[in-house]
Amino acid sequence: MARRFLRHRGLAPARLSPRDVLHVGSGGLRSRPLRVVLSALGIAIGIATMISVVGVSASSEEQLMRRLDRLGTNMLVASPGDAMFAGEDVKLPKSSVGKVGRIDGVEQAGATGEVDASVRRSAKIPEDDSGGIAVQAASQGLLKTVRGEVGSGAWLNRASGRYPAVVLGHVSARRLGIGKAGQQVWLGDRYFTVVGVLDPLPLAPELERSALVGWDAAERLLAFDGHPTSVYERSTDESVSTVRELLGPTIDPESPQEVKVTDPSAKLQARAATEGAFNSLLLGLGGIALLVGGVGVANTMIISVLERRYEIGLRRSLGAARGQIRIQFVTESLLLSCLGGAAGVALGAAATAVFARLDGLPWVVPLWAVAGGFGATLVIGTLAGLYPAVRAARLSPTLALHAA
């Protein structure tokens, strides 16, 4: 009746400005701070769970990608494959490294060769107690090819590679009780001087558990036959696939199928591709917590409508339209949800930062996760406030004031 009367007299109901909407929408929140905190807590927990899960996953993936960038994905390893006839031993030619180095696109090449010997801390330790350490001959270009670093001492050179000198992988050094270069180990039938200890090699874990001696020293002192068992090559990124196809025919033109080519970085790349695959369950739990928080917000808004019937009736009797009442309570629900969402984003980011610091990971919180969290908050707030807003707008001013 009031709206028809105003239209008949040429008047229109007053419109609420955005500032007025925020003022009336936040009025109910300011009057009940404890209820607001408890209601927003459910939203905050859900958003924090989702942000932290995504953040931890993104931080782990970022560290893995940085490692891949540092180590490179352009290294291939050629090793003896399966023989065409059973009972035959497949051996790579002695000239394998030189052949591989002449392939277009190959930048570095190195090799290792298995040596039939054992390494022990001293001659008094039984020969069978080798600690699972393999003795291998190593070419001078091996370290540069695998992008390894020497933590203590130096790598084998032309001089040390001809004499009883050995470089230990970091696992081998730990098993032998060697902390730094300069000590001696019993290798084969004599003492070798440890001239270097390697840092971890993620792309060549077999070298971490090896004792590496010079190629010439292995042939002269340890009866090494000179046939490499693994040929490592580093090529340009653009030529990796081409080099992969050429390695077998180049190393052994007569039987290229007996040369097995592997990509050491494939495992890290697969891990990077599947990083976060097991986070679905945690994201689902975060979604459930977010849904529960939305139900809590809806319940709070319904109770607010019941408690504020007098206010609603008074505003309606003073000319407030039903749409204005609906906007008021939807805005109140959105503000309540946004408060929980902001707290959840902050808690999730803080939890990610703590986890990243403890594990030595880079701190990464994707912007899409933050935007998605706020988007979910807006959706939850809108849905949670619709029914209470409609219910409030339908209250009769006369009945609301009488009931109050």
Side-chain angles (χ1 to χ4, degrees):
M1 290 292 293
R3 181 178 295 271
R4 288 197 298 269
F5 176 76
L6 289 173
R7 288 177 179 174
H8 179 72
R9 298 294 300 271
L11 300 175
R15 293 184 178 182
L16 293 176
S17 66
R19 182 178 179 181
D20 294 332
V21 172
L22 290 176
H23 180 74
V24 297
S26 61
L29 302 182
R30 294 194 302 269
S31 62
R32 300 168 179 82
L34 181 59
R35 182 182 297 176
V36 168
V37 172
L38 295 177
S39 299
L41 185 61
I43 298 288
I45 292 175
I47 294 295
T49 302
M50 300 177 73
I51 293 292
S52 59
V53 168
V54 174
V56 169
S57 176
S59 299
S60 300
E61 185 177 358
E62 178 65 19
Q63 184 193 45
L64 191 57
M65 296 307 296
R66 289 182 182 181
R67 181 182 298 179
L68 277 173
D69 291 339
R70 178 173 56 85
L71 298 175
T73 58
N74 56 346
M75 188 178 78
L76 300 175
V77 180
S79 57
D82 297 328
M84 294 183 61
F85 302 99
E88 292 185 355
D89 292 332
V90 177
K91 290 186 177 181
L92 300 181
K94 295 181 179 181
S95 58
S96 296
V97 176
K99 292 179 178 179
V100 170
R102 289 191 291 269
I103 299 176
D104 290 338
V106 173
E107 297 178 331
Q108 294 104 24
T112 59
E114 185 177 351
V115 178
D116 186 14
S118 63
V119 58
R120 290 160 284 165
R121 187 66 179 85
S122 70
K124 297 181 180 180
I125 297 177
E127 185 176 357
D128 295 336
D129 191 7
S130 62
I133 302 173
V135 179
Q136 299 194 71
S139 65
Q140 294 181 26
L142 177 65
L143 186 67
K144 186 176 182 180
T145 302
V146 299
R147 293 185 181 175
E149 295 182 358
V150 180
S152 174
W155 178 246
L156 298 166
N157 53 37
R158 290 183 179 274
S160 60
R162 298 172 58 189
Y163 296 99
V166 61
V167 173
L168 300 176
H170 85 284
V171 175
S172 302
R174 185 174 67 247
R175 292 178 181 176
L176 291 171
I178 304 295
K180 59 182 180 179
Q183 304 182 55
Q184 290 189 323
V185 294
W186 185 261
L187 199 158
D189 58 356
R190 69 186 68 201
Y191 278 102
F192 275 62
T193 301
V194 178
V195 297
V197 177
L198 299 178
D199 284 337
L201 297 169
L203 292 186
E206 65 278 3
L207 301 182
E208 298 178 348
R209 297 162 178 80
S210 299
L212 305 169
V213 299
W215 206 271
D216 295 337
E219 291 180 325
R220 185 167 56 87
L221 303 175
L222 301 173
F224 173 52
D225 61 6
H227 290 276
T229 51
S230 294
V231 177
Y232 301 79
E233 69 81 27
R234 181 80 64 170
S235 59
T236 60
D237 295 331
E238 297 79 11
S239 59
V240 172
S241 58
T242 303
V243 172
R244 182 193 296 270
E245 298 296 329
L246 294 176
L247 274 178
T250 301
I251 293 175
D252 192 351
E254 296 182 357
S255 302
Q257 70 279 358
E258 294 183 352
V259 179
K260 181 175 65 175
V261 180
T262 57
D263 182 358
S265 65
K267 292 182 179 180
L268 290 178
Q269 294 182 62
R271 180 181 167 189
T274 58
E275 191 71 38
F278 297 100
N279 293 330
S280 300
L281 177 61
L282 294 178
L283 287 175
L285 293 176
I288 293 175
L290 190 60
L291 179 61
V292 172
V295 173
V297 171
N299 183 58
T300 298
M301 296 306 302
I302 291 176
I303 294 176
S304 179
V305 170
L306 295 177
E307 291 179 346
R308 296 161 64 188
R309 285 179 298 175
Y310 178 78
E311 173 192 338
I312 297 170
L314 182 60
R315 291 195 60 204
R316 292 282 287 123
S317 65
L318 293 176
R322 289 184 177 182
Q324 294 174 341
I325 299 296
R326 286 195 294 268
I327 291 176
Q328 173 187 348
F329 282 92
V330 170
T331 301
E332 185 174 331
S333 176
L334 282 173
L335 291 175
L336 181 58
S337 297
C338 287
L339 180 63
V345 170
L347 289 174
T352 303
V354 171
F355 181 87
R357 183 175 182 84
L358 292 177
D359 278 21
L361 303 175
W363 179 54
V364 178
V365 177
L367 291 179
W368 65 263
V370 177
F374 272 114
T377 297
L378 295 177
V379 172
I380 291 293
T382 302
L383 295 178
L386 280 178
Y387 174 71
V390 172
R391 180 170 181 174
R394 288 179 177 177
L395 284 177
S396 169
T398 303
L399 294 179
L401 291 173
H402 178 74

